[in-house]
């Protein structure tokens, strides 16, 4: 296998020059300081106050116009040290939070879990990064707040009205005949706001790669990897009187992809995904701090494999919840029910299933800098009760000065994941008596924020420990495969990040970000006495992940450099087969010009600057150095 | 088998020539030992060949890659040895690597006329390859065929349509017998005309087939039947019901036993036992389970000496597998590492 160039990129070193400045803060710099602090508190999602974690990643804040056309997997990989596994370029992309599997992360859209019910996971290459949606990644077990699937963490997408441009159109041209387009409309009147995003991505994706399986390692072109996908996101926000709001969100997505085969494989497979997601919620802000929220959503997912094998699922979701605030307490209680129907070529007949959750989340603030939370949640499905999933946490600002805050957060939680509808009903092999997976997580983290007149530093350090049991693995049972609650996994790890922003003149700033994740996810089960996988790292779980970002903005010019280092990973449970570590560097230069009322932005990106020949799945090459040119018009 | 007899013939000749002949024929690196066929995982295409030396009890992994500098990169379904040529069948790459039997170095690649190739047999100067062909929209195989190649030069001579899902083939007396995983027909191809000149109505799911002698071969059928076929009359002689046969079998000709892999499952899928069933060739209704384990995916009997049985444990494709050696009463002798998804052994 070809080795990638491992050149450690010594970018800009971070200089911590805080010591002398903590007590100054004169009036001239106050306004800037306030502005900087405001950036931090603005975008929280509605779940965060019930979770005692410092490692939440707010993705949308960091994006620029060129990022709008990238799919969510690319955005998360560029902006964090979180690992996403791509089954080829532009292919299925799954997330692995804190050493867990792709089906142990809950994917939430406006309060609804949109993991495909039959697969239990979400394809992040099919989620655009729309300006109308705020995305946060919350690592850490959080079933008490999010329900099933949130063993490793959750990705939360919330549609929010935004105050960006009224109209914007962005077009991208890239290597391998890649075309990406996005049109955004943001219209508002006194009571109604409409946010529209229409997106389209296509690529021939015939990148070149070194075929190391043929003598002489010839350079060949990738075949059977073209894709096109597109969709519409439409949100309406309507104010009802003075104390109510109706929100309607619609997301229609269509993707037609050839599936990139392994090197030399003669397979020529295709997959079509069609998703229609509709959500309506009514929120009433009552007297005495009581908020009622009623939601109804319909999620329809259809997958067609090789034009003939179809699977189709529908989910009707109803939520009623009430949130109340008192002096030192707040509570949120609710009922969430989901009705699934499933049909397809691989099930004996049409299937329907009903699941329901009851939950009570509570926060107590006994002192100004101390908050305690206790969450309770119980879920039910046709086989009975799921594992009871409480969580308890503490937030303590133990060091609080005017420009310096250090917060300690700790929480312990029980989490679970229902077997997927395929685990239960696939024919042959599905088994309805398979138990849910369950786990316990403990985490503790420190977060520091320092702001001065012209600088701001945020840093995070999280340690976590997780035990997962009854993990479902499909094993051969004679002539077919069937799921078994077979595996136990011990996980421990560290997440660290630091973010330094320096405003050095009116329209100039420099930002340096770094994040490092250390993940040990260890299998504690063996199939038999010949199985050499006990006490070994789970496959496709790199131990080290590092992400560095440098960005410089001077008036209308911007420069951004991103380095991502992914450590060695194993492709088998016995760790006898290794996938090399690799380093990816992306470079971007952009310029914006204001002309009358509108802005024109242009950007050039060079991705994989080092032309690394890397793989995330064995024998699936990924593109080498490639280019992207972006043009955007905003009114 | 043939190679061993050839070697035995060569020994007295080499004794005469050794004194005056300076360049002796030194045994090739892979001339004595066991080749392990590692399918690899379908997604990763990491098929490989291992080599086990029973004297040193050492296993060498990825020997195709070691000798040729490039990985096999495919799903290795089977290996067939014909004298100095060894054929490696790549089921998903639609290719057959032809290598030198002694040092496994690449000689040629057969690409033409293959569509999901499975197993090989050689008759005279022709190579016969069973191919599943493409799946139709209902996932049925209606275009399975046997591809015929010239042994010298490997050019495609003919393709012969056969019933759905052909697996192993037997070459015997001017005929090639073709199994069928999805029907009950065993086809007979006459090698002089390369046409089907007869059928045997057998049991559904014939997969593994092996010759006992020049007039009889045995087949393991996944419908739960071990059958023996008389190749002079083209009729079924024995037909023994055994539950859960996986289709893999191997014959100990010297001692008169057949070993077949079976699996049983508990109705609640809590566990499956994979077992090795020992069948006495002369009295096949007498059979017994001699070994039980998990994920037993291949079996082979060492043709010389004790008749030790080699079993391939695939570890459910989660990681690399293990080769387990037992004696003919089921006692564990030895075990060794293999590659991913071992499904068979070739003894040299």
């Amino acid at each position: 296998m070809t080795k990638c160039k491992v050149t450690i990129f010594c970018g800009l070193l971070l200089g911590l020059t805080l010591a002398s400045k903590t007590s100054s803060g004169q009036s001239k710099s106050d306004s800037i300081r306030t502005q900087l602090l405001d950036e931090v508190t603005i975008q929280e999602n509605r779940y965060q106050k019930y979770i005692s974690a410092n490692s939440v990643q707010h993705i949308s804040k960091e994006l620029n116009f060129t990022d709008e056309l990238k799919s969510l997997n690319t955005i998360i990989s560029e902006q964090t040290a979180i690992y996403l596994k791509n089954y080829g370029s532009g292919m299925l992309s799954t997330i692995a939070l804190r050493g867990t599997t792709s089906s142990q992360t809950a994917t939430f859209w406006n309060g609804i879990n949109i993991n495909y019910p039959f697969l239990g996971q979400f394809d992040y290459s099919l989620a655009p990064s729309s300006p109308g949606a705020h995305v946060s990644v919350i690592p850490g077990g959080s079933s008490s707040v999010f329900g099933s699937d949130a063993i490793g963490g959750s990705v939360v997408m919330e549609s929010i009205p935004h105050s960006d441009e009224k109209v914007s159109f962005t077009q991208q041209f890239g290597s391998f005949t890649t075309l990406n387009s996005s049109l955004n409309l943001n219209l508002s009147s006194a009571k109604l706001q409409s946010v529209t995003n229409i997106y389209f991505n296509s690529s021939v994706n015939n990148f070149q790669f070194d075929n190391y399986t043929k003598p002489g390692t010839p350079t060949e072109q990738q075949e059977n990897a073209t894709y096109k996908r597109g969709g519409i996101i439409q949100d309406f926000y309507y104010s009802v009187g003075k104390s109510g709001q109706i929100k309607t969100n619609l997301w229609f997505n269509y993707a037609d992809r050839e599936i990139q085969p392994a090197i030399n494989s003669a397979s020529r497979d295709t997959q079509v995904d069609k998703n229609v997601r509709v959500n309506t919620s009514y929120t009433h802000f009552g007297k005495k701090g009581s908020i009622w929220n009623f939601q109804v959503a319909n999620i329809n997912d259809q997958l067609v494999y090789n034009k003939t094998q179809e699977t189709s699922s529908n989910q009707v979701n109803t939520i009623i919840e009430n949130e109340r605030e008192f002096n030192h307490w707040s509570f949120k209680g609710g009922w969430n029910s989901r009705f699934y129907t499933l049909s397809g070529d691989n099930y004996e007949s049409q299937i329907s299933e009903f699941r329901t959750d009851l939950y009570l989340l509570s926060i107590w603030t006994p002192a100004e800098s101390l908050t305690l939370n206790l969450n309770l949640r119980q879920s039910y499905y046709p086989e009975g009760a799921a594992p009871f999933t409480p969580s308890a946490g503490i937030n303590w600002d133990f060091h609080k000065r005017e420009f310096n805050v250090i917060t300690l957060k700790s929480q312990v939680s029980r989490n679970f994941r229902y077997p997927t509808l395929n685990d239960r009903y696939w024919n042959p092999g599905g088994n309805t008596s398979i138990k849910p997976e369950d786990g316990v997580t403990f985490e503790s983290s420190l977060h520091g924020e320092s702001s001065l007149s012209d600088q701001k530093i945020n840093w995070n350090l999280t340690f976590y420990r997780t035990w997962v049991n009854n993990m479902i693995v499909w094993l051969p049972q004679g002539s077919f495969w069937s799921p078994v609650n077979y595996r136990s996994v011990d996980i421990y790890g560290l997440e660290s990040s630091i973010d330094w922003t320096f405003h050095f003149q009116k329209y100039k700033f420099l930002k340096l970000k770094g994040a490092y994740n250390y993940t040990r996810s260890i299998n504690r089960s063996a199939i038999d006495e010949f199985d050499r996988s006990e006490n070994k790292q789970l496959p496709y779980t790199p131990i080290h992940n590092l992400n560095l970002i440098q960005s410089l903005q001077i008036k209308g010019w911007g420069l951004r450099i991103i380095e991502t280092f992914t450590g060695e990973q194993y492709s088998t449970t016995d760790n006898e087969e290794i996938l090399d570590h690799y380093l990816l560097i992306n470079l971007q230069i952009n310029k914006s010009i204001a002309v009358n009322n509108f802005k024109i932005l242009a950007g050039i990106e060079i991705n994989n600057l080092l032309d690394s020949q890397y793989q995330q799945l064995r024998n699936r090459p990924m593109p080498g150095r490639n280019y992207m040119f972006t043009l955007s018009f905003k009114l | 088998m043939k190679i061993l007899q050839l070697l035995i013939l060569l020994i007295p000749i080499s004794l005469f020539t050794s004194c005056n002949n300076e360049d002796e024929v030194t045994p090739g690196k892979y001339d004595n030992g066991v080749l392990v066929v590692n399918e690899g995982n379908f997604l990763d295409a990491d098929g490989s060949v291992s080599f086990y030396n029973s004297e040193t009890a050492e296993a060498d992994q990825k020997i195709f890659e070691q000798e040729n500098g490039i990985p096999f990169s495919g799903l290795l379904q089977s290996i067939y040895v014909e004298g100095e040529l060894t054929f490696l069948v790549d089921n998903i790459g639609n290719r057959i690597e032809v290598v030198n039997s002694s040092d496994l170095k690449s000689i040629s690649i057969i690409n033409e006329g293959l569509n999901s190739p499975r197993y090989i047999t050689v008759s005279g100067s022709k190579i016969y390859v069973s191919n599943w062909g493409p799946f139709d929209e209902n996932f049925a195989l209606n275009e399975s065929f046997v591809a015929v190649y010239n042994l010298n030069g490997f050019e495609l001579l003919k393709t012969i349509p056969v019933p759905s899902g052909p697996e192993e083939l037997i070459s015997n007396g001017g005929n090639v017998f073709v199994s069928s995983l999805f029907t009950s027909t065993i086809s007979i191809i006459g090698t002089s005309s390369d046409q089907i000149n007869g059928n045997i109505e057998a049991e559904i799911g014939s997969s593994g087939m092996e010759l006992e002698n020049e007039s009889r071969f045995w087949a393991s059928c996944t419908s739960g039947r071990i059958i023996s076929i008389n190749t002079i009359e083209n009729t079924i002689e024995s037909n023994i019901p055994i539950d859960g046969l996986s289709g893999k079998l191997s014959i100990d000709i010297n001692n008169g036993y057949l070993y077949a892999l079976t699996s049983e499952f508990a109705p609640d899928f809590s566990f499956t036992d994979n077992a090795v069933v020992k069948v006495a060739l002369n009295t096949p209704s007498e059979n017994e389970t001699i070994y039980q384990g998990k994920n037993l995916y291949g079996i082979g009997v060492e043709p010389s000496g004790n008749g030790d049985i080699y079993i391939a444990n695939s570890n459910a494709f989660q990681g690399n597998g293990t080769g387990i050696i037992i004696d003919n009463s089921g006692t564990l002798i030895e075990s060794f590492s293999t590659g991913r998804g071992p499904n068979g052994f070739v003894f040299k």
Side-chain angles (χ1 to χ4, degrees):
Chain A
M1 177 116 97
T2 358
K3 301 277 187 269
C4 66
K5 297 172 198 139
V6 182
T7 319
I8 305 298
F9 184 95
C10 299
L12 303 158
L13 288 176
L14 177 64
L16 288 165
T17 53
L18 291 184
S20 54
K21 296 205 174 185
T22 34
S23 54
S24 50
Q26 296 303 309
S27 53
K28 198 180 207 175
S29 45
D30 265 345
S31 55
I32 299 174
R33 183 183 63 76
T34 324
Q35 179 194 340
L36 294 174
L37 275 180
D38 279 343
E39 267 180 52
V40 176
T41 53
I42 272 180
Q43 305 268 298
E44 280 200 348
N45 61 58
R46 55 183 156 135
Y47 307 100
Q48 232 172 292
K49 55 186 181 182
Y50 301 102
I51 298 173
S52 294
N54 279 314
S55 49
V56 182
Q57 310 275 339
H58 295 290
I59 302 297
S60 322
K61 279 194 315 171
E62 311 290 339
L63 303 185
N64 63 34
F65 69 99
T66 56
D67 294 324
E68 273 171 38
L69 294 113
K70 296 180 187 166
S71 47
L72 199 55
N73 58 318
T74 308
I75 299 291
I76 298 176
S77 300
E78 286 187 343
Q79 302 286 333
T80 72
I82 291 169
Y83 183 65
L84 284 110
K85 179 175 162 196
N86 296 307
Y87 286 64
S89 166
M91 303 293 124
L92 167 70
S93 180
T94 57
I95 198 168
L97 287 176
R98 294 197 175 170
T100 59
T101 69
S102 54
S103 50
Q104 291 172 337
T105 293
T107 310
F108 263 63
W109 176 72
N110 293 312
I112 313 290
N113 189 332
I114 55 170
N115 281 343
Y116 281 20
F118 43 94
L119 293 177
Q121 64 185 33
F122 189 76
D123 184 350
Y124 287 87
S125 71
L126 297 185
S129 72
S130 157
H134 177 126
V135 179
S136 14
V137 183
I138 308 178
S142 43
S143 282
S144 62
V145 175
F146 296 111
S148 173
D149 302 355
I151 294 180
S154 335
V155 176
V156 175
M157 300 184 247
E158 293 268 286
S159 302
I160 39 147
H162 63 99
S163 53
D164 286 356
E165 299 78 14
K166 284 209 177 62
V167 184
S168 79
F169 176 70
T170 310
Q171 179 66 43
Q172 234 173 24
F173 306 90
S175 305
F176 327 122
T177 323
T178 302
L179 292 167
N180 298 322
S181 321
S182 171
L183 173 68
N184 290 296
L185 297 167
N186 186 3
L187 310 164
S188 54
S189 68
K191 281 184 174 276
L192 176 67
Q193 183 166 2
S194 161
V195 180
T196 314
N197 173 230
I198 302 176
Y199 60 92
F200 179 72
N201 312 77
S202 74
S203 180
V204 173
N205 215 9
N206 53 350
F207 55 91
Q208 292 194 325
F209 65 96
D210 297 335
N211 191 341
Y212 51 84
T213 69
K214 292 193 178 158
T217 313
T219 306
E220 292 184 357
Q221 270 197 336
Q222 183 61 53
E223 286 178 9
N224 203 79
T226 68
Y227 61 84
K228 50 183 195 292
R229 48 181 196 247
I232 302 174
I233 298 177
Q234 173 63 54
D235 302 310
F236 290 110
Y237 304 93
Y238 182 72
S239 303
V240 179
K242 283 191 187 151
S243 51
Q245 189 190 70
I246 296 181
K247 195 168 85 152
T248 301
N249 314 102
L250 162 71
W251 180 8
F252 169 72
N253 180 71
Y254 178 85
D256 187 354
R257 296 177 281 190
E258 292 178 334
I259 297 184
Q260 181 179 337
I263 293 182
N264 294 338
S265 167
S267 316
R268 294 289 178 264
D269 301 318
T270 63
Q271 179 173 313
V272 170
D273 289 71
K274 262 186 254 184
N275 318 98
V276 181
R277 303 175 176 116
V278 186
N279 173 58
T280 303
S281 35
Y282 171 61
T283 309
H284 176 80
F285 300 87
K287 297 181 189 118
K288 297 180 190 163
S290 158
I291 304 175
W292 281 95
N293 186 37
F294 303 92
Q295 244 180 287
V296 176
N298 191 76
I299 311 287
N300 190 290
D301 295 309
Q302 196 182 47
L303 206 139
V304 184
Y305 184 70
N306 282 340
K307 300 186 171 57
T308 53
Q309 270 226 311
E310 209 177 284
T311 306
S312 178
S313 78
N314 197 71
Q315 181 199 158
V316 180
N317 199 320
T318 343
I319 302 177
I320 299 176
E321 55 185 19
N322 180 239
E323 192 168 357
R324 260 162 221 267
E325 261 184 48
F326 303 102
N327 256 342
H328 298 288
W329 294 84
S330 76
F331 293 98
K332 176 147 113 165
W335 174 65
N336 178 327
S337 79
R338 303 171 294 294
F339 181 69
Y340 298 93
T341 47
L342 176 70
S343 62
D345 297 311
N346 293 297
Y347 313 104
E348 274 179 5
S349 57
Q350 195 181 63
I351 289 159
S352 53
E353 190 162 293
F354 181 73
R355 298 183 188 172
T356 189
D357 290 18
L358 289 164
Y359 51 96
L360 180 65
L361 318 176
S362 62
I363 298 174
W364 176 37
T365 312
E368 197 201 303
S369 43
L370 182 65
T371 304
L372 303 169
N373 61 63
L374 178 67
N375 304 327
L376 308 170
R377 191 180 189 109
Q378 178 64 61
S379 183
Y380 298 91
Y381 75 132
E383 311 303 319
F388 175 56
T389 49
S391 74
I394 178 171
N395 299 3
W396 179 30
D397 292 335
F398 70 86
H399 173 89
K400 204 168 183 176
R401 303 280 179 273
E402 200 182 347
F403 306 111
N404 247 306
V405 181
I406 301 183
T407 309
L408 169 72
K409 295 191 185 183
S410 284
Q411 68 180 4
V412 63
S413 61
R414 180 132 185 260
N415 309 290
F416 84 104
R417 164 177 101 78
Y418 278 126
T420 67
L421 294 181
N422 278 1
D423 289 332
R424 286 166 60 73
Y425 301 110
W426 185 269
N427 183 29
N431 180 6
T432 52
S433 54
I434 285 293
K435 296 186 281 239
E437 299 181 344
D438 70 283
V440 174
T441 298
F442 164 75
E443 78 172 79
S444 199
S445 56
L446 283 175
H447 171 89
E449 261 169 49
S450 297
S451 26
L452 310 159
S453 53
D454 50 4
Q455 300 176 50
K456 186 167 59 96
I457 295 187
N458 283 328
W459 55 269
N460 262 326
L461 185 64
T462 302
F463 169 76
Y464 61 89
R465 184 84 171 84
T466 303
W467 298 265
V468 188
N469 291 313
N470 283 326
M471 265 179 61
I472 298 171
V473 181
W474 279 66
L475 295 173
Q477 315 282 37
S479 57
F480 55 81
W481 291 55
S482 190
V484 183
N485 287 106
Y486 139 76
R487 184 171 280 155
S488 291
V489 181
D490 260 357
I491 308 176
Y492 60 90
L494 189 94
E495 285 165 357
S496 60
S497 67
I498 189 160
D499 186 334
W500 178 64
T501 312
F502 176 44
H503 281 249
F504 53 95
Q505 273 169 53
K506 194 171 183 196
Y507 295 112
K508 301 178 188 172
F509 77 81
L510 172 67
K511 188 179 178 76
L512 302 176
K513 253 181 86 167
Y516 169 68
N517 288 352
Y518 174 80
T519 315
R520 291 294 271 136
S521 184
I522 305 193
N523 174 30
R524 295 290 187 213
S525 349
I527 294 176
D528 57 17
E529 70 267 34
F530 301 106
D531 186 358
R532 302 185 282 283
S533 61
E534 200 169 349
N535 302 326
K536 302 269 169 68
Q537 179 86 355
L538 285 194
Y540 294 110
T541 308
I543 296 176
H544 305 284
N545 279 297
L546 178 68
N547 176 283
L548 300 170
I549 305 180
Q550 301 84 42
S551 56
L552 178 65
Q553 193 84 32
I554 295 182
K555 295 199 184 151
W557 286 95
L559 169 71
R560 186 173 73 177
I561 311 174
I562 301 175
E563 299 93 28
T564 311
F565 174 78
T566 305
E568 224 174 56
Q569 46 185 317
Y570 305 107
S571 61
T572 54
T573 54
D574 48 24
N575 295 176
E576 287 173 13
E577 305 297 324
I578 298 176
L579 278 180
D580 274 343
H581 52 68
Y582 54 90
L583 175 67
L584 298 176
I585 300 183
N586 296 348
L587 178 84
Q588 186 189 91
I589 298 173
N590 57 65
K591 170 93 178 104
S592 69
I593 310 168
V595 179
N596 292 340
N597 275 346
F598 66 94
K599 276 200 291 188
I600 301 178
L601 305 100
I604 292 181
E605 274 174 81
I606 307 175
N607 294 320
N608 194 357
L609 187 68
L610 300 177
D611 199 22
S612 295
Q613 291 279 302
Y614 68 105
Q615 292 188 354
Q616 294 187 311
L617 190 68
R618 180 168 292 286
N619 287 331
R620 296 274 190 312
M622 297 289 274
R625 187 181 307 123
N626 62 86
Y627 306 89
M628 201 72 98
F629 174 68
T630 313
L631 203 55
S632 183
F633 301 92
K634 294 183 193 272
L635 186 64
Chain B
M1 279 300 293
K2 279 185 192 169
I3 296 156
L4 199 60
Q5 290 167 359
L6 198 62
L7 280 173
I8 293 170
L9 266 178
L10 279 173
I11 292 171
I13 297 171
S14 62
L15 278 176
F16 279 114
T17 56
S18 61
C19 306
N20 23 352
N21 207 340
E22 284 189 302
D23 44 329
E24 292 176 8
V25 176
T26 47
K29 199 166 171 190
Y30 304 108
D31 278 340
N32 283 310
V34 187
L35 294 175
V36 184
V37 183
N38 302 302
E39 270 183 23
N41 172 289
F42 181 80
L43 264 188
D44 298 351
D46 51 354
S48 68
V49 186
S50 310
F51 182 72
Y52 179 70
N53 183 324
S54 47
E55 279 162 44
T56 61
E58 271 170 21
D60 264 336
Q61 308 301 333
K62 298 189 187 164
I63 58 174
F64 177 86
E65 185 169 349
Q66 269 185 51
E67 298 300 330
N68 292 291
I70 52 179
F72 180 76
S73 190
L75 197 144
L76 180 59
Q77 181 63 43
S78 62
I79 295 179
Y80 190 86
V81 177
E82 178 68 18
E84 284 176 10
L85 298 176
T86 294
F87 301 93
L88 309 175
V89 181
D90 174 6
N91 179 253
I92 57 170
N94 291 342
R95 83 184 203 275
I96 300 175
E97 287 275 350
V98 186
V99 301
N100 180 304
S101 300
S102 299
D103 62 11
L104 242 64
K105 298 238 190 263
S106 186
I107 293 173
S108 182
I109 299 179
I110 300 177
N111 272 325
E112 209 197 335
L114 294 171
N115 191 327
S116 192
R118 306 285 293 171
Y119 294 88
I120 288 182
T121 196
V122 167
S123 180
S125 62
K126 286 187 279 190
I127 307 169
Y128 294 79
V129 185
S130 58
N131 284 266
W132 274 16
F135 285 99
D136 72 5
E137 63 264 12
N138 297 317
F139 276 87
L141 295 167
N142 290 319
E143 293 174 55
S144 298
F145 59 96
V146 170
V148 189
Y149 301 85
N150 192 322
L151 191 54
N152 306 308
F154 316 123
E155 77 265 21
L156 177 68
L157 297 172
K158 197 172 180 183
T159 61
I160 308 164
V162 292
S164 182
E167 293 277 85
E168 295 194 37
L169 314 109
I170 298 267
S171 158
N172 188 40
N175 284 322
V176 168
F177 296 83
V178 186
S179 57
S180 169
L181 195 56
F182 301 111
T183 73
S184 55
T185 307
I186 294 180
S187 313
I188 310 172
I189 297 175
T191 56
S192 46
S193 61
D194 280 342
Q195 279 181 350
I196 297 187
N197 56 18
N199 286 320
I200 301 171
E201 263 317 295
E203 295 287 341
I204 294 181
S206 52
S207 172
M209 308 207 292
E210 199 169 319
L211 271 174
E212 181 192 341
N213 53 46
E214 62 269 6
S215 60
R216 185 190 301 140
F217 71 86
W218 293 79
S220 173
C221 304
T222 57
S223 53
R225 297 264 167 182
I226 296 275
I227 55 178
S228 72
I229 287 140
N230 179 313
T231 57
I232 300 168
E233 315 277 313
N234 288 333
T235 54
I236 298 186
E237 285 181 343
S238 309
N239 188 334
I240 314 296
I242 296 180
D243 279 335
L245 287 168
S246 72
K248 302 263 167 64
L249 89 174
S250 187
I251 296 183
D252 180 358
I253 293 177
N254 296 332
N255 298 309
Y257 288 109
L258 175 155
Y259 299 92
L261 289 181
T262 67
S263 51
E264 295 164 26
F265 17 179
D268 68 352
F269 304 108
S270 57
F271 186 60
T272 84
D273 279 320
N274 279 135
V276 178
V277 173
K278 179 179 180 179
V279 179
L281 294 179
N282 291 327
T283 51
S285 48
E286 283 172 25
N287 50 69
E288 54 167 329
T289 300
I290 59 165
Y291 182 80
Q292 287 188 316
K294 294 183 194 182
N295 304 311
L296 306 182
Y297 197 54
I299 188 162
V301 177
E302 195 181 12
S304 65
N306 332 343
D308 284 342
I309 303 149
Y310 285 58
I311 306 168
N313 177 323
S314 72
N315 194 234
F317 290 82
Q318 303 281 306
N320 287 332
T322 307
I324 303 166
I325 308 175
I326 58 172
D327 69 11
N328 59 18
S329 56
T331 316
L332 178 70
I333 298 174
E334 187 69 66
S335 68
F336 57 94
S337 297
T338 68
R340 193 106 176 253
N343 80 2
F345 303 92
V346 175
F347 295 89
K348 301 176 74 175

